[in-house]
Amino acid sequence: MAKIIYTLTDEAPLLATHSFLPIVQSFAKKAGVEVETRDISLAGRVIAQFPERLSDEQRVDDALAELGELAKSPEANIIKLPNISASIPQLKATIAELQGKGYDLPDYPDEPTTDADRDVRARYDRVKGSAVNPVLREGNSDRRAPASVKQYARKHPHRMGAWSADSKTTVATMGENDFRANEKSVVLPADDTLRIEFTAADGTVTVLRESLPVLAGEVVDATVMRVDALRTFLAAQIERAKTDGVLFSVHLKATMMKVSDPIMFGQVIRVFFADVFERYGAELQAAGLNPNDGLNGIFQGLASIADGTEIRAAFDRAIAAGPDLAMVDSDKGITNLHVPSDVIVDASMPAMIRTSGHMWGADGGEHDTLAVIPDSSYAGIYQTVVDDCRVNGAFDPATMGSVPNVGLMAQAAEEYGSHDKTFQMTADGVVRVVDSSGATLIEHEVSAGDIWRACQTKDVPIRDWVKLAVTRARATGSPAVFWLDETRAHDRVLIELVTRYLGDHDTDGLQIEIMSPVDAMTFSLERIRRGEDTISVTGNVLRDYLTDLFPIMELGTSAKMLSVVPLINGGGLFETGAGGSAPKHVQQLVEKNYLRWDSLGEFLALAVSFEHLATSTGNTRAQVLADTLDQATGRFLDDNRSPGRAIGTIDNRGSHFYLAKYWAEALAAQTSDAGLAADFTALSARLDADEQTIVDELIAVQGRPVDVGGYYRLDEAKVGAVMRPSTTLNETLASL
């Protein structure tokens, strides 16, 4: 039987899966397609790291490692839902919850001092941050808004906040002494094994990375963020925000860039609260309270310090004396600086742009904002959008064009390959990347506290990226623009390679350009205001940024994007769009038994998964499922069956019912497979006849608290009962 792997992840997507997956499995089985699950949730990944400490009942397979191997095979057909890219606070919360459930897991060691501690830390580090995506993404990214979604957005445009010509909102970035300015890049002439070493001022040599295998044609980059320059820059921006009377906000990627960006986040807190750390820094450090984890972690830990009340008062005074802080939740007093994973640049900046260039202040109102993005590699793209909106006003979702993306990310390309090669320096000296002959390829002078990192990009993914860009340009007729900056070291190398590899393809009649990110953004914005489409062809970080930015402006959310990863060895990875894992939706479910998560991304991914399966295995019924699911999704959008905004309307579970109803109708009506039509005729009739009963049953449970048995590790029986409350629907599906 043909097989699809459906991933179990975290938070709202995981809750939704308990409602939607039974429908998928019932329908797919009639087409000879088995839909299996693999648990790649944060809790599941944590548990898999410590089998020797757990009972037989508690142990789980390392599903992520299994899927990583599957992704390298032609048979791969994986549907990947959004998962938690865990910050340290989230990881610690997961560990604590599992310990409370009886799992004998060790605490996360912030400062390992023994070999045992270092082993525990290494295991946990394998699951934090963006641990899932680099493993599964054995191909480059093709993200775009499906025609049905784009058509719906134009017919039913979401609200965009108006922009004022005198808006004070702006982006602040370093421009020097940062990762972009200090980057160096080389192309390896042959297979080799590199070494990363640090030579201290006294001549002592420490090997930071003993063995770094590389292939011929591989691009290796290294760079350094100079912490003294970072601190000077941050202090200036704090003062600037206060002087200009705007909110102060910092926008980093503490999840994807799980080593470097939490350190920078910690520096923001150290600088903002410089007086507090000057007076109490030793006490905070002795108590294990790390500013890299955010204010929330510090505040929670103050209870264990004798003068914790006094220290908290000092923090409160500093907040009152400084510029107004952008808020994550003004009602609860949660600031931009509370949790490093609360304000992620690729989601927070588009949300700000969509909301008139405003973020929320402590007073609960919207205000102009100084958006601080320390590294200047891509900060300019956001300033370009801000400038455009200040002059031309907000974009109009009813008329604007689209900017799909082809992203370079295969085989841990670029930043995905930096996590195990990022170090905060403990002393002054020199970091070198040397080859097997001992020759120095890259070197940087560093000072104590600096953040040094290296990354890799293999040649095969680059060639595949160029090929995918040409393929999409040919298929759509839209211009394809490589966002590459010749003044940046890594991009200069890629420009040479892209120019060379484009010669391997027929590009006659295609418009393919290479532009700096700022110029490419200007070009794309001019076109989308005219209703024209432009393919962005970018590296890994820009892929992440743009596939939130443009969909949020066009569609109101990035969760409605079609995200296909054609795997290099022939398989397919189908992602359910961006948009994160929506923790606030979980809170609403637990408090009110109402889940607003929109599963449209799952519908879109499932359709292309069936289509890929039909092509790769010859299963014609899988193609029928794909075609009819597309029809059902189109009607779903036309009838506006997405979750409502208030209790008393259908939520995520109700949207799944309507998708099933429309899908069954389409299958019953199609004429290409009489057997399938017969199978679904009775189901369609029952769902139609019982529509009001099912909707009433789904709505009747709303408004009361529910227990799903946990946050990071759910109780299967409890969550199953919560997410499938309609007896009529459950019995009808069982009849199939």
Side-chain angles (χ1 to χ4, degrees):
M1 181 175 280
K3 183 186 299 185
I4 291 172
I5 305 296
Y6 203 96
T7 57
L8 305 177
T9 56
D10 302 286
E11 297 181 324
L14 178 59
L15 292 169
T17 295
H18 282 83
S19 167
F20 184 51
L21 187 59
I23 296 170
V24 175
Q25 290 172 323
S26 298
F27 280 54
K29 194 169 185 179
K30 286 296 182 180
V33 177
E34 194 74 29
V35 182
E36 298 182 358
T37 61
R38 295 293 186 276
D39 181 2
I40 59 170
S41 66
L42 176 55
R45 298 184 336 252
V46 167
I47 294 169
Q49 295 302 311
F50 298 95
E52 76 282 1
R53 300 178 65 115
L54 305 177
S55 67
D56 290 343
E57 293 76 19
Q58 292 173 328
R59 290 190 193 107
V60 299
D61 293 332
D62 190 341
L64 180 58
E66 176 193 344
L67 292 185
E69 289 304 309
L70 177 63
K72 299 174 184 177
S73 73
E75 295 76 29
N77 191 318
I78 304 168
I79 295 178
K80 190 264 177 186
L81 278 73
N83 62 279
I84 292 175
S85 292
S87 63
I88 296 295
Q90 288 173 306
L91 178 56
K92 289 179 177 178
T94 304
I95 295 166
E97 180 177 309
L98 290 169
Q99 290 170 336
K101 293 177 180 289
Y103 289 84
D104 180 26
L105 297 171
D107 291 335
Y108 181 86
D110 288 300
E111 298 181 5
T113 56
T114 67
D115 287 343
D117 284 348
R118 282 186 280 273
D119 174 62
V120 169
R121 173 69 175 263
R123 296 196 207 189
Y124 279 135
D125 284 353
R126 285 198 289 267
V127 304
K128 77 180 183 184
S130 187
V132 172
N133 293 337
V135 174
L136 297 185
R137 288 172 171 171
E138 280 289 318
N140 290 311
S141 170
D142 173 10
R143 281 188 175 177
R144 57 189 186 271
S148 58
V149 173
K150 187 65 174 175
Q151 181 180 7
Y152 176 81
R154 284 179 164 161
K155 289 167 60 178
H156 307 277
H158 66 92
R159 187 181 69 84
M160 295 279 281
W163 273 77
S164 168
D166 58 2
S167 169
K168 295 181 180 179
T169 292
T170 192
V171 177
T173 192
M174 291 175 69
E176 57 185 11
N177 289 312
D178 60 1
F179 288 129
R180 182 193 181 282
N182 295 320
E183 187 174 67
K184 299 179 181 180
S185 184
V186 297
V187 179
L188 276 299
D191 294 1
D192 203 345
T193 300
L194 310 183
R195 184 174 71 257
I196 303 173
E197 59 186 33
F198 168 66
T199 303
D202 63 3
T204 304
V205 177
T206 302
V207 176
L208 301 178
R209 178 70 185 267
E210 178 64 45
S211 176
L212 182 60
V214 292
L215 302 175
E218 191 159 346
V219 181
V220 175
D221 310 308
T223 187
V224 60
M225 167 70 74
R226 305 209 179 279
V227 71
D228 286 346
L230 172 63
R231 292 177 62 86
T232 299
F233 164 76
L234 293 171
Q237 304 318 310
I238 292 167
E239 187 60 33
R240 176 184 177 186
K242 188 172 183 178
T243 300
D244 291 351
V246 296
L247 300 180
F248 175 86
S249 63
V250 63
H251 303 260
L252 292 163
K253 186 73 170 175
T255 48
M256 179 179 180
M257 303 311 300
K258 62 185 180 182
V259 182
S260 60
D261 283 27
I263 297 172
M264 290 193 285
F265 186 85
Q267 288 297 335
V268 177
I269 292 178
R270 288 182 183 277
V271 174
F272 197 98
F273 301 98
D275 292 344
V276 180
F277 279 91
E278 182 177 354
R279 183 172 180 183
Y280 301 106
E283 288 182 69
L284 294 170
Q285 184 175 5
L289 303 181
N290 190 339
N292 297 6
D293 297 342
L295 288 181
N296 191 58
I298 293 175
F299 290 167
Q300 289 183 354
L302 289 178
S304 64
I305 300 178
D307 51 355
T309 302
E310 176 185 325
I311 298 174
R312 175 58 191 263
F315 274 105
D316 290 342
R317 285 194 299 273
I319 291 175
D324 292 337
L325 283 171
M327 306 296 288
V328 171
D329 190 330
S330 56
D331 291 340
K332 297 180 179 179
I334 299 174
T335 73
N336 178 272
L337 303 182
H338 264 62
V339 181
S341 55
D342 271 352
V343 183
I344 302 301
V345 58
D346 50 310
S348 59
M349 287 300 296
M352 185 188 81
I353 291 166
R354 180 187 174 191
T355 314
S356 309
H358 295 158
M359 294 187 74
W360 300 99
D363 60 358
E366 296 179 23
H367 301 276
D368 289 344
T369 304
L370 179 64
V372 177
I373 305 175
D375 180 49
S376 60
S377 294
Y378 305 116
I381 68 167
Y382 293 117
Q383 185 63 59
T384 302
V385 181
V386 168
D387 290 342
D388 182 274
C389 290
R390 191 182 287 114
V391 173
N392 299 308
F395 291 89
D396 183 357
T399 60
M400 67 187 293
S402 189
V403 183
N405 180 263
V406 173
L408 174 59
M409 66 181 191
Q411 298 181 353
E414 299 187 323
E415 289 74 14
Y416 276 161
S418 71
H419 307 322
D420 57 352
K421 295 176 283 294
T422 302
F423 309 95
Q424 185 167 27
M425 310 315 301
T426 57
D428 298 353
V430 178
V431 179
R432 294 183 176 90
V433 180
V434 300
D435 64 18
S436 57
S437 73
T440 298
L441 302 180
I442 298 173
E443 70 176 23
H444 289 97
E445 290 187 5
V446 296
S447 300
D450 288 352
I451 309 164
W452 185 96
R453 73 184 186 203
C455 64
Q456 303 162 257
T457 311
K458 293 178 173 58
D459 187 54
V460 168
I462 297 172
R463 292 175 184 266
D464 181 76
W465 178 54
V466 173
K467 175 185 176 183
L468 183 57
V470 174
T471 300
R472 294 304 304 157
R474 178 73 64 191
T476 62
S478 298
V481 180
F482 286 84
W483 295 43
L484 297 170
D485 187 349
E486 64 181 3
T487 67
R488 181 183 167 192
H490 172 73
D491 286 10
R492 273 198 305 275
V493 171
L494 283 192
I495 288 171
E496 293 179 9
L497 296 174
V498 166
T499 302
R500 183 191 312 166
Y501 297 153
L502 281 172
D504 298 335
H505 302 279
D506 176 13
T507 59
D508 286 350
L510 305 181
Q511 183 180 354
I512 298 179
E513 310 280 354
I514 298 175
M515 300 182 186
S516 73
V518 167
D519 289 343
M521 177 62 79
T522 300
F523 178 76
S524 301
L525 294 179
E526 290 172 351
R527 289 179 57 82
I528 64 174
R529 283 194 181 276
R530 296 197 299 265
E532 299 170 343
D533 299 344
T534 312
I535 301 168
S536 59
V537 189
T538 72
N540 197 11
V541 168
L542 268 178
R543 169 198 60 80
D544 224 34
Y545 291 5
L546 299 186
T547 55
D548 271 324
L549 174 64
F550 288 112
I552 286 173
M553 291 195 298
E554 294 173 46
L555 314 173
T557 175
S558 53
K560 296 180 179 180
M561 290 286 281
L562 178 60
S563 184
V564 179
V565 182
L567 300 174
I568 288 175
N569 290 329
L573 175 67
F574 308 97
E575 302 187 70
T576 62
S581 44
K584 288 186 178 180
H585 290 346
V586 181
Q587 296 166 12
Q588 187 176 27
L589 176 86
V590 171
E591 294 171 2
K592 299 293 185 181
N593 200 358
Y594 189 86
L595 185 65
R596 273 193 60 199
W597 177 259
D598 190 340
S599 291
L600 179 61
E602 286 97 296
F603 308 161
L604 301 173
L606 183 62
V608 289
S609 171
F610 280 132
E611 186 173 22
H612 177 81
L613 192 72
T615 301
S616 60
T617 67
N619 184 329
T620 57
R621 285 193 158 186
Q623 186 62 56
V624 175
L625 288 182
D627 294 340
T628 52
L629 180 53
D630 273 339
Q631 295 170 27
T633 301
R635 184 173 172 194
F636 175 94
L637 289 169
D638 285 340
D639 289 357
N640 194 22
R641 298 300 187 182
S642 294
R645 300 186 64 85
I647 291 174
T649 59
I650 63 165
D651 71 348
N652 175 265
R653 295 163 291 191
S655 72
H656 294 161
F657 158 66
Y658 277 105
L659 190 281
K661 180 178 183 295
Y662 298 152
W663 195 5
E665 288 177 7
L667 280 162
Q670 54 81 30
T671 58
S672 58
D673 189 310
L676 271 182
D679 285 337
F680 283 92
T681 297
L683 177 69
S684 176
R686 286 188 61 175
L687 291 176
D688 188 58
D690 293 336
E691 175 180 351
Q692 193 58 54
T693 299
I694 293 170
V695 170
D696 289 345
E697 289 175 349
L698 292 173
I699 291 178
V701 300
Q702 297 174 9
R704 296 181 294 275
V706 293
D707 177 16
V708 292
Y711 188 89
Y712 296 99
R713 193 68 170 175
L714 306 180
D715 180 290
E716 290 298 311
K718 290 180 178 180
V719 73
V722 168
M723 293 307 300
R724 302 188 70 201
S726 170
T727 302
T728 305
L729 177 58
N730 298 342
E731 291 175 349
T732 301
L733 287 174
S735 71
L736 183 61

